[in-house]
Amino acid sequence: MADSPQYFDLITMGRIGVDLYPLQTGIPLSQVETFGKFLGGSAANVAVAAARLGRSAAVITRTGDDPFGSYLHEALEDFGVDDRWVTPVAAYPTPVTFCEIFPPDDFPLYFYRRPKAPDLEIHADELDLAAVRAAGIFWVTGTGTGLSEEPSRTATLTALRARDGAGTTVFDLDWRPAFWRDPGQARPYYREALRHATVAVGNLEECEVATRVREPEACAEALLAAGVELAVVKQGPRGVLAVHRDGTRAEVGPVPVEVVNGLGAGDAFGGSLCHGLLAGRDLERTVRHANAAGALVASRLACSSAMPTESEVADLLARAASPHAAGLPSQS
């Protein structure tokens, strides 16, 4: 990898794959006849979300050396995400993920990542640590490429340590039970990651894995005590709580939308959160914008290709502020 640092507003490190989403909703996977093919994976989606909002973004991950891997490179390029640190692994196929779509709140995921996903083969000695340190924001995930298996676990922690104290570092708790034996296995690695992060983001279940508590205020306090400066706790239909170490806080309710597919809403939230932090916006405005970005994706079928632009988020926020928006279902 290059010796001289290349500046990006955002560098993400984590999971990538191909999402195969049913084009028929409300029926089990066994009865679905047609699928749409999309770029997927939380780290890749967050980078796409930020790029859609005008930010320069790159992702560190790996694919198989196969046609699906080629597709992911093409998709990243089409979305404006730099793929220089997306490299092939000949030994393992590019992973695919299927889902079932039962709106408004049931979207089972089926991961095909065996015998091993290529994005778990990131090696610490291959990282461009100068670029990682130079990025405006560095974003890592707890599962997938993040901390669940070696050598990517060591690579992730190496990148976090190299980044320590430089700019904004976000740890997306991203708990996926399928990738761990139990929460107890994950907690030591989550604690280590939190020591080097400045921002932690997670829903209540993810926060409980990291902190052993589930009540939103307690989650925020525990994450701050673990070392971060900003704790962002997503509460589903109750909205989002964000608490900064300096005492600043924001509580934002859900944005009314007709939910089509809730998958990917969290990644849109993440890309928008990065956008707001980079812009130096106040905490409430940042979280409100991120909530709206997530809601927009929840109202659409896909994840990556559904990521909204700045004008789309502004339009939704304006509509949500209208009294006529009352009574719609919501997604945070």
Side-chain angles (χ1 to χ4, degrees):
M1 294 183 180
D3 293 326
S4 58
Q6 165 72 44
Y7 176 80
F8 290 96
D9 291 327
L10 171 66
I11 296 177
T12 67
M13 181 174 176
R15 184 163 46 86
I16 196 171
V18 175
D19 286 346
L20 295 173
Y21 283 179
L23 299 183
Q24 297 86 42
T25 64
I27 62 174
L29 200 59
S30 59
Q31 297 177 22
V32 174
E33 295 183 354
T34 55
F35 297 84
K37 174 167 65 46
F38 306 97
L39 177 146
S42 55
N45 280 337
V46 170
V48 170
R52 278 283 175 89
L53 295 169
R55 296 295 175 178
S56 59
V59 60
I60 301 170
T61 190
R62 306 196 74 179
T63 71
D65 189 10
D66 53 28
F68 273 155
S70 299
Y71 161 72
L72 293 175
H73 279 278
E74 294 167 5
L76 288 170
E77 182 178 356
D78 288 344
F79 288 128
V81 175
D82 195 289
D83 66 349
R84 70 184 63 196
W85 299 306
V86 183
T87 56
V89 178
Y92 304 120
T94 299
V96 297
T97 302
F98 290 87
C99 76
E100 293 176 310
I101 300 177
F102 297 102
D105 58 4
D106 187 18
F107 308 101
L109 281 169
Y110 302 88
F111 294 98
Y112 290 79
R113 293 169 56 86
R114 299 296 178 190
K116 187 178 185 180
D119 55 34
L120 292 169
E121 283 291 318
I122 299 175
H123 294 262
D125 59 2
E126 296 175 346
L127 296 173
D128 187 344
L129 295 178
V132 167
R133 281 189 289 265
I137 293 179
F138 181 54
W139 176 290
V140 300
T141 63
T143 296
T145 310
L147 302 173
S148 61
E149 289 191 42
E150 294 289 3
S152 287
R153 176 187 298 151
T154 293
T156 299
L157 294 174
T158 297
L160 285 170
R161 292 174 188 131
R163 175 78 178 177
D164 203 16
T168 299
T169 303
V170 182
F171 179 37
D172 176 8
L173 302 179
D174 187 38
W175 170 249
R176 305 282 178 171
F179 300 164
W180 295 90
R181 186 173 62 250
D182 57 60
Q185 181 192 18
R187 282 194 183 103
Y189 305 115
Y190 274 51
R191 285 197 297 268
E192 176 67 13
L194 287 166
R195 287 182 55 241
H196 301 284
T198 61
V199 180
V201 181
N203 61 31
L204 291 175
E205 181 184 10
E206 292 165 340
C207 290
E208 184 176 22
V209 170
T211 68
R212 296 180 184 269
V213 295
R214 192 179 181 93
E215 192 276 327
E217 293 280 354
C219 288
E221 292 175 8
L223 291 170
L224 293 175
V228 303
E229 297 174 10
L230 175 63
V232 181
V233 182
K234 297 183 287 187
Q235 305 174 69
R238 293 183 57 196
V240 179
L241 169 67
V243 182
H244 196 280
R245 183 179 298 279
D246 66 8
T248 306
R249 58 187 291 124
E251 292 185 74
V252 176
V255 180
V257 293
E258 293 284 354
V259 175
V260 174
N261 183 2
L263 301 173
D267 300 332
F269 181 100
S272 174
L273 176 69
C274 292
H275 179 55
L277 294 173
L278 288 163
R281 295 173 175 172
D282 66 71
L283 187 57
E284 181 170 349
R285 182 184 176 193
T286 295
V287 175
R288 194 173 299 280
H289 188 285
N291 227 18
L296 272 170
V297 172
S299 71
R300 299 167 175 176
L301 174 65
C303 292
S304 53
S305 62
M307 296 300 171
T309 63
E310 187 71 65
S311 62
E312 288 175 321
V313 176
D315 288 346
L316 178 59
L317 285 171
R319 295 199 305 273
S322 166
H324 300 294
L328 285 176
S330 60
Q331 169 73 30
S332 65

